[in-house]
Amino acid sequence: MADKSTIEWTDATWNPVLGCTKVSAGCAHCYAERFTERFRGVPGHPFEGGFDLRLAPAKLDQPRRWRRPRRVFVNSMSDLFHPQVPEAYIAEVGRVMKDVRRHTYQVLTKRHDRMRSLLNGELSWMGELPNVWFGVSVENRRQGLPRLDALRETRAVVRFASIEPLLEDLGDFDLSSIDWVITGGESGPGARPMQEEWVLGVLNQCRRDGVPFFFKQWGGVRKHLNGRLLRGRTYDEFPPN
């Protein structure tokens, strides 16, 4: 939750919201829940409440203190568009992103319907910010691919898909109006395996549609042993600045 991140596709994480609730198959082995629940009940700890959702207004000004421009993953430990996050608070987060334009903000959600509704309506000004990328998680065909359809209908300058954890072959799907794709396998205890042909299917569709492709990891219980090489090379592509 700070100035440096081990997440391969970002530089820093910023968590003005903490905690979440499960909404789809990709949430089954949530890394954030696993991490925060270790500290439930520890007096004074930032995660004393475990993974219960709560606002963290003391974190709102954090990007202002980072002088060097960087990519910032917004709410790596939560979901900005969770229904329990008030619209007024989402707007407060948006005003920080608007004011501190030296950073590029990466906002990822599984609540695609609420994001679409707000960015096409009351918070349309957030969707017009050139330094904010809005993305959805895609883990399978049934729950993940409809999020892509909603994202295409959402006001945003840059749209991206985080296809992680990739749980099955997605088949042929539409990447029109999508500016970036991240793909990766699940990691940690109980990690569900990912097949190479599933990843190659995503890569081939990115190549077909001219979408930058970032391969994050193979994952697994000990993800460092499996690395992030795909057919002998890394893929670290980003949208044009």
Side-chain angles (χ1 to χ4, degrees):
M1 294 189 300
D3 187 20
K4 295 182 180 179
S5 174
T6 59
I7 299 172
E8 290 81 356
W9 47 265
T10 199
D11 301 316
T13 56
W14 174 40
N15 284 279
V17 183
L18 300 171
C20 200
T21 54
K22 289 180 169 60
V23 71
S24 68
C27 302
H29 302 142
C30 177
Y31 74 91
E33 179 183 35
R34 186 170 64 248
F35 177 82
T36 58
E37 285 296 328
R38 295 161 49 198
F39 304 103
R40 179 179 288 278
V42 178
H45 194 279
F47 295 113
E48 180 180 358
F51 203 47
D52 297 346
L53 190 139
R54 57 205 180 279
L55 307 184
K59 299 285 187 181
L60 280 173
D61 283 341
Q62 195 171 35
R64 301 183 191 277
R65 300 194 293 270
W66 296 336
R67 305 313 304 172
R68 178 178 58 82
R70 64 207 68 197
R71 298 186 189 98
V72 180
F73 180 13
V74 181
N75 285 320
S76 62
M77 307 295 284
S78 185
D79 189 328
L80 183 63
F81 292 98
H82 191 285
Q84 294 179 26
V85 180
E87 179 185 326
Y89 191 78
I90 296 173
E92 286 190 58
V93 174
R95 280 190 284 272
V96 175
M97 297 190 291
K98 181 179 180 180
D99 291 346
V100 191
R101 296 198 176 210
R102 61 182 171 273
H103 305 314
T104 297
Y105 301 92
Q106 300 157 311
V107 181
L108 181 63
T109 187
K110 288 185 175 70
R111 275 76 178 187
H112 51 291
D113 288 333
R114 190 175 190 217
M115 180 173 74
R116 175 176 56 189
S117 176
L118 290 176
L119 295 187
N120 289 353
E122 297 87 341
L123 301 182
S124 61
W125 58 270
M126 285 180 61
E128 296 170 357
L129 297 176
N131 62 323
V132 183
W133 303 355
F134 289 99
V136 294
S137 298
V138 177
E139 68 268 57
N140 57 21
R141 293 186 295 272
R142 184 175 68 86
Q143 296 166 311
L145 291 183
R147 295 190 191 115
L148 273 183
D149 295 332
L151 180 61
R152 260 186 293 277
E153 299 169 354
T154 300
R155 184 188 300 271
V157 176
V158 175
R159 302 180 181 92
F160 72 98
S162 175
I163 304 179
E164 182 189 10
L166 178 56
L167 300 178
E168 65 180 1
D169 183 2
L170 296 180
D172 186 62
F173 60 99
D174 187 4
L175 283 176
S176 62
S177 300
I178 305 302
D179 302 291
W180 186 38
V181 167
I182 306 162
T183 303
E186 191 168 53
S187 62
R192 291 161 284 185
M194 179 177 65
Q195 303 299 318
E196 182 181 80
E197 55 265 32
W198 304 349
V199 182
L200 292 175
V202 176
L203 171 61
N204 290 337
Q205 298 214 98
C206 287
R207 291 295 181 257
R208 178 196 68 190
D209 296 331
V211 179
F213 175 80
F214 192 106
F215 184 58
K216 180 175 179 283
Q217 63 182 24
W218 285 106
V221 177
R222 297 177 178 84
K223 69 175 186 177
H224 65 282
L225 298 179
N226 297 321
R228 51 190 301 265
L229 293 179
L230 175 61
R231 292 286 175 95
R233 58 159 290 189
T234 57
Y235 289 83
D236 294 332
E237 300 166 5
F238 285 91
N241 292 328

